[in-house]
Amino acid sequence: MNPQINPLTLDSATEALRKIWPDARPKCGLILGSGWGEAVEGFQGEELPYSKITGMGKPGVMGHAGKLLRTTIGEMEIFIFQGRQHWYEGEGWTPVILPVYLLHAFGADTILLTNAAGGIRDDLAPGSLMAIADHINMLGSNPLIGSHNPKLGTRFPDQSEVYSRALRKKLLDAGADAEGVYIATSGPTFETPAEINQYRSMGADAVGMSTVPEAIVANALGIRVAALSCVCNWAAGIGNTKLTHEDVNEVAAATMPRMKSTIITFLEELARHDHS
Ligand code: HPA
């Protein structure tokens, strides 16, 4: 399998979605990661299973709802991707970054990425919400590796402010507890305590297995990026407990009321002030 982004799949997915929703004009996109699914419970709109969009990845590998919801907040149309593919799923970069490409193709200029993460910094205890201020890419790869596709931006995208300062402030105003640096590892293993010690000394505040690829591509496309981590556990070696996906989901469920109010407040604020 060639992991590189397949431009033909990007085009055919865009075409498939345009046929289904020819009048869609989202301003904003939301990608819901692990544990975040219920944050949009009660949102009304049209839902589309990912299986209807060529290239979104095999259902079942997902481990998330695998649906796209088209909805509005105030006057603002928004696409909500309920579930993402990860690099560790081994399907290559196309399904990982396709939601971002589709948002751009449909004219969106803002994206909110969410994830579950392990806390490294002292104040980022389980249950904290961290607005991502910057990232460290330890995935061992980059979604833009491969022959240059001008539809994905320039060959060498600047990354001096991947996460919009203005949107970070909106996240803090909306309920995030702190800002911090997110480090992305490939997974699917959790980290070792020695790795976490190294990541801390590199400047990482929280660790996870997602988000960075989508942020890289969104930034390259000129989309404003906001990202919010739900810290669901102390990173390996800090809490003296073994890490499981189930425990991560449990903490996310317990934190859900704050996760939900933070993203809704953020989106409402965006709809009020940024709608054009
Ligand atoms: N490490 C990596 N990914 C994660 C973690 C973690 O500790 N918690 C939730 N996702």
Side-chain angles (χ1 to χ4, degrees):
M1 195 264 312
N2 179 352
Q4 292 171 18
I5 293 174
N6 183 338
L8 298 176
T9 311
L10 299 181
D11 288 343
S12 51
T14 309
E15 219 171 281
L17 196 53
R18 266 201 224 292
K19 273 205 186 116
I20 298 167
W21 290 335
D23 58 335
R25 297 286 179 274
K27 170 181 173 57
C28 176
L30 170 57
I31 298 183
L32 296 173
S34 295
W36 281 86
E38 287 181 13
V40 294
E41 222 178 46
F43 280 44
Q44 304 296 318
E46 285 176 76
E47 272 188 348
L48 192 68
Y50 285 173
S51 56
K52 301 270 192 226
I53 312 170
T54 332
M56 280 294 281
K58 290 188 193 131
V61 208
M62 199 66 67
H64 299 248
K67 287 183 291 193
L68 171 58
L69 172 66
R70 179 186 174 196
T71 186
T72 53
I73 291 196
E75 299 277 291
M76 180 176 79
E77 185 171 339
I78 166 167
F79 276 3
I80 302 181
F81 290 87
Q82 299 173 262
R84 60 152 59 85
Q85 274 243 342
H86 302 82
W87 175 232
Y88 63 73
E89 291 179 68
E91 300 285 316
W93 285 120
T94 311
V96 177
I97 65 87
L98 186 52
V100 178
Y101 187 84
L102 289 171
L103 284 168
H104 184 253
F106 277 77
D109 65 10
T110 305
I111 189 167
L112 172 59
L113 306 168
T114 62
N115 62 46
I120 299 175
R121 201 173 70 202
D122 287 353
D123 63 308
L124 293 171
S128 308
L129 297 180
M130 184 188 88
I132 299 182
D134 204 349
H135 73 231
I136 300 171
N137 178 6
M138 285 290 286
L139 293 162
S141 185
N142 186 305
L144 297 177
I145 287 174
S147 51
H148 179 226
N149 177 356
K151 288 187 185 166
L152 290 166
T154 67
R155 175 75 291 195
F156 303 108
D158 171 76
Q159 291 204 124
S160 45
E161 190 185 321
V162 174
Y163 303 89
S164 150
R165 208 171 272 281
L167 296 183
R168 278 152 54 190
K169 177 161 189 320
K170 280 199 199 320
L171 282 175
L172 289 170
D173 290 346
D177 298 298
E179 287 192 312
V181 173
Y182 176 89
I183 189 164
T185 69
S186 74
T189 51
F190 286 110
E191 302 68 39
T192 65
E195 286 166 341
I196 292 302
N197 280 335
Q198 187 198 8
Y199 298 161
R200 182 189 293 109
S201 68
M202 289 164 73
D205 299 313
V207 58
M209 306 174 194
S210 68
T211 305
V212 164
E214 293 104 309
I216 288 174
V217 171
N219 174 69
L221 287 168
I223 297 177
R224 295 192 305 166
V225 181
L228 188 60
S229 294
C230 177
V231 176
C232 289
N233 55 280
W234 286 114
I238 300 177
N240 265 335
T241 49
K242 295 204 184 234
L243 305 183
T244 69
H245 188 59
E246 289 69 31
D247 292 346
V248 166
N249 282 334
E250 225 168 84
V251 174
T255 315
M256 185 50 68
R258 282 205 320 122
M259 293 154 73
K260 194 166 180 166
S261 76
T262 303
I263 60 170
I264 290 174
T265 307
F266 173 86
L267 293 170
E268 284 174 348
E269 182 62 16
L270 205 61
R272 239 194 317 277
H273 292 296
D274 275 358
H275 189 67
S276 48

